[in-house]
Structures are given as C-alpha cells and as structure tokens.
Amino acid sequence: FSGPFTDVVTTNLKLRNPSDRKVCFKVKTTAPRRYCVRPNSGIIDPGSSVIVSVMLQPFDYDPNEKSKHKFMVQTTYAPPNITDMEAVWKEAKPDELMDSKLRCVFEMPNENDKLNDIDASKSAPVLNTSKQDGPMPKAHSVSLNDTETRKLVEECKRLQAEIMKLTEDNRHLRDEGLRLRKVAHSDKSGSPTALALRDNGSNSLPSLLVVIAAIFIGFFLGKFIL
C-alpha cells in the first residue's frame, strides 16, 4: 500500500482458476477492522478469474512501526449443486483446503520523488512554450519576403507608367517637330540647318529618357526574379 494514508488506499488482488472445476475462495486478514474486502468470498468458474479489492482505511502512519498485517486466500473445489457457502467451509477437510498468505507492506512517497514531480510540472509549460514558439521565425521570414515582393511589383508598375508617359511625350514632341518642320519649309527666311538641329535635339531627349527607364525596369525585374 502506498501512502499517504489520510484517505482510503485500494489494492487489487487477481484470483485465477486454472483448473477444470469450480473453485470456492475466501479472503481473511489479521486486521479486519483496518480493511474492507470486496468480494471477500465467492466462486470462480474453470479458466476464469476474479478481481478482489482490498481497501485500507485511513490511519496515522508511523514509519518506525513494522507492519504485522497479513492476508490469507483460502480455496477449495466447489461440490456439485452448491447452495450454502458457509456449509462448504464448515464441511471442508483440512487436506481439501489450499491457502496463499500475503504480508502487507506500507510505503510513503520519497521526498526525492516529490521534488522530481514538482520539477516535471514546472518544466512542462516551458517545453510546451518552446514547441509553440518554434515555427515563429520561419513565419516572420515569409512575411518579410512577401513585403519585399510587393514593393518590387509596385515599383515595376510605377516604372511602366513612367514609360507610357514618356512614350506619349515622345509622340507629342515628334508631332511638334513635324509641325515646326512644315512651318520652316514654308518660311523661306528661316535657316534649314538650325531647324534640323532643333528637331534632332527635341527627338534625342525623349529617346534618352526611354532608355534610362528601360534600364531601371531591367534592374528591378532582375532583382524580383532572383
């Protein structure tokens, strides 16, 4: 029996009948006031078993006092057409009885065991917390990658809008150059060389801006793909 003994402590006995006949059993103890046995007697069929609960009542345990409590399990073959269990035990001959004796042992929990249980209960939440927090760094890195990707996509969209604007400005300047060329052709006093230089200057500026924008798009797209 394991303490503390401030409450009822229960120990189970398993009785098995290996024979091919019915067996009667009875459980006895040297301290009947200290124990409650259920069932304390009965019949076990051939090849069957029964569980007997032995309940120790609460008491003041003294570790210096040696236990003298003992149990005895008596068995005998059941006669045919049995009707009275008490008569069976009264009429049984000594050579027909079989008995097994058991001595009770009381044990108190070790102080080291108590400390180990306390340490285990304290360390368990820490282990659970580490398991829950384990995947967090990975989730954090995924969040950063998503943010960087979103920034690159937005930058590409902005650069594409810039290219469309520069293309529109280039077309507008080209139309303006054609108009000026027509005016210069109709104006005989104008200098053709000066008009040609002005047309080349106006056309080269948008082209240069388009090339620069294309370089930026290539850079950001390359970073996005990597």
Side-chain angles (χ1 to χ4, degrees):
F1 297 90
S2 298
F5 303 99
T6 56
D7 200 355
V8 177
V9 181
T10 302
T11 297
N12 293 326
L13 295 177
K14 184 177 182 180
L15 306 181
R16 184 176 179 274
N17 178 12
S19 68
D20 56 355
R21 297 173 55 184
K22 290 184 177 181
V23 172
C24 298
F25 74 92
K26 178 186 289 188
V27 181
K28 296 181 178 181
T29 179
T30 57
R33 295 183 179 180
R34 291 285 187 91
Y35 300 91
C36 181
V37 182
R38 293 291 182 274
N40 60 357
S41 63
I43 300 176
I44 306 176
D45 292 330
S48 301
S49 60
V50 65
I51 300 297
V52 177
S53 297
V54 180
M55 293 163 279
L56 173 62
Q57 304 304 307
F59 72 102
D60 294 331
Y61 174 68
D62 185 1
N64 297 322
E65 180 182 354
K66 293 184 179 181
S67 173
K68 298 180 181 180
H69 299 174
K70 295 180 181 180
F71 278 82
M72 182 174 65
V73 180
Q74 279 188 333
T75 57
T76 185
Y77 287 114
N81 301 324
I82 180 174
T83 57
D84 187 1
M85 287 290 297
E86 291 297 329
V88 171
W89 296 109
K90 289 180 179 179
E91 297 175 0
K93 298 178 181 180
D95 57 349
E96 296 176 348
L97 297 176
M98 296 167 284
D99 59 73
S100 298
K101 296 180 181 181
L102 302 172
R103 185 174 62 87
C104 296
V105 177
F106 301 139
E107 294 181 352
M108 289 293 291
N110 194 349
E111 292 298 328
N112 293 332
D113 295 339
K114 292 181 180 180
L115 293 177
N116 292 335
D117 293 340
I118 294 174
D119 293 340
S121 63
K122 289 182 178 179
S123 61
V126 176
L127 294 175
N128 292 336
T129 303
S130 64
K131 290 181 180 179
Q132 294 174 359
D133 295 340
M136 289 301 292
K138 184 176 180 181
H140 183 63
S141 62
V142 171
S143 178
L144 289 177
N145 291 335
D146 292 343
T147 303
E148 188 69 20
T149 301
R150 189 162 49 251
K151 288 182 180 180
L152 289 173
V153 172
E154 293 176 356
E155 187 67 20
C156 289
K157 290 181 180 180
R158 187 184 67 80
L159 290 175
Q160 288 176 355
E162 287 288 335
I163 288 178
M164 294 178 63
K165 183 176 181 301
L166 291 174
T167 302
E168 182 65 23
D169 292 343
N170 190 17
R171 187 183 62 79
H172 177 71
L173 291 173
R174 191 184 304 112
D175 293 341
E176 183 67 20
L178 292 175
R179 188 184 66 80
L180 292 175
R181 196 176 290 117
K182 289 179 181 181
V183 172
H185 182 70
S186 62
D187 189 2
K188 295 180 180 181
S189 61
S191 174
T193 303
L195 291 174
L197 291 174
R198 183 169 58 187
D199 291 339
N200 291 334
S202 62
N203 291 333
S204 62
L205 179 60
S207 299
L208 180 60
L209 292 175
V210 171
V211 171
I212 294 173
I215 291 173
F216 272 105
I217 286 182
F219 171 75
F220 280 102
L221 287 177
K223 185 176 180 181
F224 174 72
I225 292 173
L226 292 176

